[in-house]
Amino acid sequence: MFDFLDYATLKFIWWILVGALLMGFAIADGMDMGVGVLLPFVARADAERRIAINTVGPHWDGNQVWLITAGGAIFAAWPAVYAAAFSGFYMAMLLVLFALFFRPVGFDYRSKIDNDVWRSAWDWGLFVGGAVPALIFGVAFGNLLQGVPFHLDDMLRPHYQGSLLTALLPLLNPFARLAGAISLGMFTVHGGLWLQLRADDPVASRARKTVMALAPAVALLFLGAGVWLWFGVDGYRVISAPAHDALPNPLAKEVVRATHAWFDIYAAVPAAAAAPVAGVLGPLVAATLAFARRPGWGFVASALGMVGVIGSAGLSMFPFIMPSSLDPRSSLTIWDAPSSHLTLTVMLIATAIFLPIVLGYTIWCYANMWGRVTAKEIEAQSHSAY
């Protein structure tokens, strides 16, 4: 009944779906995180900040569901990755969680009291709630590309090098900080384009200038990360492994670290180079369209750039999900870290049913709440939630 797709195909499909969820999170939730990052800088008076907040206020909580869904998908599709990652990145994830606390409270309580100190404090809280997660998500990808210091024992239990209290500092290595800067920059550019599209002047004009200055820097940083990856970061390569449809056993394969191994995919599948090209051109085209006062198409270009950046990381690492720097054989791949055939099949059926419903409802919400947020509207709704 549930064997209409073979196990290997299901493993590959769920690699695509998890990647799509991460891209959806970056595009949707990255937008309102970027607005939070820009809030103290492009909106100066209280009315201007309320304009910026109201552009994302009706949508931010729905956008954040992409992150929750991605976490749930990793738990269900790749339980071994979930267990290993949520242990090794525990302190970083706690930092993200604590930063995210500022978002619901900030959105809901900022305008409840007409006090400049109160509102300014929550504005900076929204900044933290946008900047810290954006930075840490990039740092996580930077560490995955370098390998995570864990190994699996004979019972397939992950063991990490170092203690829990010191686990955060090694994650903030130079390459990971560069990846974090790319993530923070592209989220901020995305939020700036949204403000240029939806906010009234002068907020829109300041956001436009920010995008024009920051987007080329994001493209340059991404290009620099690729050069660093080529010259300074060894990749991983599978030498031998069981068949792709075999039952999961990470220790049944042989893996080596090799120079330039993260670029193997581009030699094997030249079309994969479209991802890094989009990662470089997307921000540049977005900056050009922001300059031309075409923020709608600029937003699309920014989204394509995000797809390119995240897609480049995923394609470069393929088939690895979580490489191990201590014991390359313990590295987790899409072939040896997934759930059972039945679990992946049932999840796929549920996704095919509910994902179109969720996307349709999301589009309906944006369509019915569309429009530029103006100062006149804010003044007329002085006691609104935001």
Side-chain angles (χ1 to χ4, degrees):
M1 178 179 178
F2 292 109
D3 57 354
F4 56 90
L5 287 174
D6 63 84
Y7 198 15
T9 301
L10 281 169
K11 293 176 182 180
F12 184 70
I13 288 173
W14 274 102
W15 175 74
I16 295 174
L17 288 176
V18 172
L21 285 172
L22 293 175
M23 293 173 185
F25 156 71
I27 294 170
D29 208 21
M31 170 194 75
D32 48 65
M33 285 185 178
V35 171
V37 173
L38 290 172
L39 181 61
F41 308 105
V42 301
R44 296 167 187 171
D46 181 67
E48 294 176 2
R49 294 187 177 183
R50 291 188 64 205
I51 289 173
I53 291 172
N54 273 269
T55 64
V56 296
H59 308 294
W60 73 269
D61 46 357
N63 293 340
Q64 194 158 294
V65 171
W66 285 94
L67 175 61
I68 299 169
T69 306
I74 292 173
F75 169 75
W78 301 331
V81 174
Y82 181 90
F86 276 63
S87 297
F89 295 154
Y90 189 75
M91 295 302 294
M93 290 183 178
L94 274 182
L95 185 60
V96 169
L97 182 62
F98 292 152
L100 288 175
F101 287 163
F102 286 106
R103 301 183 74 205
V105 184
F107 281 118
D108 286 342
Y109 284 93
R110 179 198 181 274
S111 295
K112 299 299 184 184
I113 298 177
D114 188 6
N115 179 277
D116 291 341
V117 176
W118 169 270
R119 293 187 174 185
S120 178
W122 286 117
D123 291 340
W124 284 105
L126 291 172
F127 168 82
V128 171
V132 172
L135 180 68
I136 296 298
F137 291 138
V139 167
F141 271 99
N143 279 278
L144 289 175
L145 286 163
Q146 296 174 95
V148 183
F150 79 99
H151 72 276
L152 301 175
D153 63 18
D154 292 339
M155 301 295 291
L156 300 183
R157 295 174 299 188
H159 298 270
Y160 280 83
Q161 185 180 60
S163 66
L164 183 63
L165 294 177
T166 61
L168 187 58
L169 291 179
L171 296 178
L172 298 174
N173 57 75
F175 181 79
R177 292 200 299 269
L178 173 60
I182 294 169
S183 177
L184 177 59
M186 70 180 188
F187 279 32
T188 305
V189 167
H190 207 53
L193 285 159
W194 180 256
L195 286 176
Q196 186 184 356
L197 180 64
R198 293 288 314 279
D200 197 8
D201 280 329
V203 175
S205 296
R206 295 183 191 129
R208 171 176 174 265
K209 293 176 182 177
T210 301
V211 170
M212 290 163 52
L214 187 57
V218 171
L220 185 61
L221 288 174
F222 178 63
L223 190 60
V227 173
W228 192 334
L229 204 63
W230 176 266
F231 288 105
V233 178
D234 288 341
Y236 292 72
R237 187 176 292 147
V238 177
I239 300 302
S240 64
H244 292 167
D245 60 353
L247 293 176
N249 181 8
L251 297 180
K253 65 181 180 299
E254 293 296 329
V255 177
V256 297
R257 299 192 68 168
T259 304
H260 310 325
W262 284 151
F263 294 84
D264 288 352
I265 186 69
Y266 304 109
V269 185
V277 169
V280 174
L281 293 183
L284 296 177
V285 173
T288 303
L289 290 167
F291 173 76
R293 302 184 187 278
R294 300 296 298 272
W297 287 110
F299 189 81
V300 173
S302 174
L304 291 175
M306 287 179 157
V307 170
V309 170
I310 297 172
S312 296
L315 288 168
S316 294
M317 291 175 59
F318 183 86
F320 292 93
I321 306 169
M322 192 171 178
S324 167
S325 60
L326 295 183
D327 177 23
R329 190 172 63 124
S330 297
S331 301
L332 301 174
T333 73
I334 71 169
W335 310 120
D336 57 31
S339 295
S340 68
H341 185 283
L342 178 60
T343 300
L344 296 183
T345 303
V346 172
M347 288 171 56
L348 184 62
I349 294 172
T351 301
I353 294 172
F354 291 107
L355 184 59
I357 296 174
V358 172
L359 289 176
Y361 177 72
T362 301
I363 293 171
W364 181 87
C365 288
Y366 274 92
N368 281 272
M369 299 180 190
W370 191 256
R372 190 174 292 275
V373 182
T374 65
K376 183 178 180 180
E377 178 184 344
I378 293 298
E379 291 172 359
Q381 301 176 2
S382 59
H383 298 292
S384 65
Y386 307 114

